[in-house]
Amino acid sequence: MPELPEVETVVRDLRPLLVGRTIGAVRVGRHKLRSPWKPAWTPRVAGRRIDAIDRRGKWILVRLAGDATLVLHLGMTGQLTVHPEPEPLADHTHLRFPLDDGRELRFRDVRRFGSATLFASPGALAEHLNARLGPEPFALEPEYWFAALRGTTRCVKAVLLDQTVLAGVGNIYADESLFRAGVHPGRRANTMTRTQAESLRCAVEVVLRRAIDGRGSTIRDYIGGSGLKGGFQEEFAVYGRTGQPCPACRTPIAVARHAGRSSHHCPRCQK
DNA sequence: CTGTAATCCTGCGAGC
DNA sequence: TGCTCGCAGGATTACA
């Protein structure tokens, strides 16, 4: 599922297809996503031009003419793609936004952990995002990051996954970043040295950049906004590689449980 | 404050 | 082949 690199890929794919187009209507499927589409939102979307498509953390922001923003989250299995309007609907398509060029934006989500919400004003949108998201990984201040780690006894993996500390990292890229930095996922955050904190901050940046270059990772369901799968799964060092040799020392990759998630790591390289 | 578990869902692979 | 079990990119809530 979509973490920052996958969401960034979707946004980059959709931007040229959607910006400048006008949404003609909203078609809602029988099953609700995480929360139901409110009928009151439809007139605020239908007839509106799309001014911009942005990403914040794992959230997709479709900025509409006027003050409203359509906010989408892909959850675990969400797909957001553009199709010719007559094209048959795939199973689990829950929302459709026909456009003025004969195509249609479709939100498909097998597990329905995704969400689609409308925020009527920039203030309401900011309130929602600010309550949930810390800084973007590419704008992470070293001092802020070090202080965030030193200020808690939680394990480092839990801090990486905490969207209010750092926005956009999920289970795959947390594990890959920790391996790259040589830090064990169960390491207590408040025992990290300044050097290790900086090493981890850089590792997160490098891993995310490379994953974006690879158009994200497809484990099973993920596809970009143009329908293409990702390629970064071919470059995983540890994620999903339990029992296979560590790329650095050949020790079998182990899996442990941290913050309720599987943590793939090398027991020899990561301290 | 932490950690853990359950919740929302469907699908798939492993094991019997 | 067919069944059950556990697990999966996430976020939120309840509870110890």
Side-chain angles (χ1 to χ4, degrees):
Chain A
M1 197 329 54
E3 302 179 30
L4 186 152
E6 290 76 30
V7 178
E8 178 65 24
T9 302
V10 169
V11 162
R12 289 184 186 186
D13 285 352
L14 291 180
R15 202 171 272 142
L17 299 171
L18 294 183
V19 172
R21 299 270 65 83
T22 294
I23 296 175
V26 182
R27 303 202 173 114
V28 185
R30 283 186 293 282
H31 298 283
K32 70 177 173 73
L33 292 160
R34 169 173 289 283
S35 52
W37 179 267
K38 291 196 169 74
W41 294 340
T42 297
R44 294 180 162 279
V45 173
R48 299 289 173 163
R49 189 185 66 241
I50 297 171
D51 280 346
I53 315 268
D54 297 314
R55 176 192 62 73
R56 178 77 172 90
K58 303 173 192 172
W59 299 81
I60 296 167
L61 314 177
V62 180
R63 302 191 191 273
L64 304 173
D67 276 341
T69 304
L70 178 59
V71 176
L72 305 159
H73 195 292
L74 301 178
M76 295 275 260
T77 52
Q79 300 174 341
L80 195 61
T81 49
V82 174
H83 304 261
E85 211 177 329
E87 190 175 302
L89 283 190
D91 286 346
H92 308 291
T93 300
H94 306 300
L95 273 179
R96 293 186 288 153
F97 303 92
L99 306 168
D100 58 359
D101 64 354
R103 289 183 293 182
E104 186 171 74
L105 176 65
R106 295 179 179 176
F107 191 159
R108 171 172 191 261
D109 185 358
V110 170
R111 289 177 71 182
R112 281 186 270 142
F113 291 174
S115 67
T117 318
L118 191 80
F119 288 89
S121 70
L125 174 62
E127 190 185 345
H128 179 263
L129 294 178
N130 290 340
R132 287 167 177 77
L133 300 177
E136 289 287 316
F138 302 123
L140 191 58
E141 301 275 354
E143 274 310 310
Y144 161 90
W145 176 236
F146 183 57
L149 290 168
R150 297 297 301 205
T152 179
T153 60
R154 308 158 81 190
C155 63
V156 184
K157 172 77 178 265
V159 178
L160 277 172
L161 292 176
D162 185 342
Q163 303 297 299
T164 67
V165 173
L166 175 65
V169 174
N171 208 35
I172 293 175
Y173 301 111
D175 284 0
E176 292 296 315
S177 301
L178 286 163
F179 173 77
R180 186 175 174 80
V183 174
H184 193 284
R187 175 75 175 273
R188 297 286 142 195
N190 61 358
T191 68
M192 292 281 281
T193 65
R194 192 177 286 272
T195 307
Q196 288 170 325
E198 190 56 11
S199 164
L200 181 56
R201 188 187 67 78
C202 294
V204 169
E205 273 200 51
V206 169
V207 166
L208 293 178
R209 274 193 209 288
R210 290 190 182 173
I212 291 169
D213 289 345
R215 298 184 45 82
S217 306
T218 297
I219 307 294
R220 175 170 296 156
D221 300 281
Y222 168 74
I223 55 174
S226 58
L228 286 177
K229 291 181 179 185
F232 191 72
Q233 66 280 0
E234 306 297 333
E235 294 175 50
F236 288 168
V238 289
Y239 185 83
R241 299 190 68 248
T242 310
Q244 293 178 248
C246 165
C249 75
R250 317 306 290 170
T251 300
I253 297 301
V255 64
R257 206 84 185 161
H258 300 290
R261 319 289 295 277
S262 293
S263 290
H264 311 78
H265 65 282
C266 172
R268 180 145 180 263
C269 296
Q270 297 178 249
K271 303 295 178 196

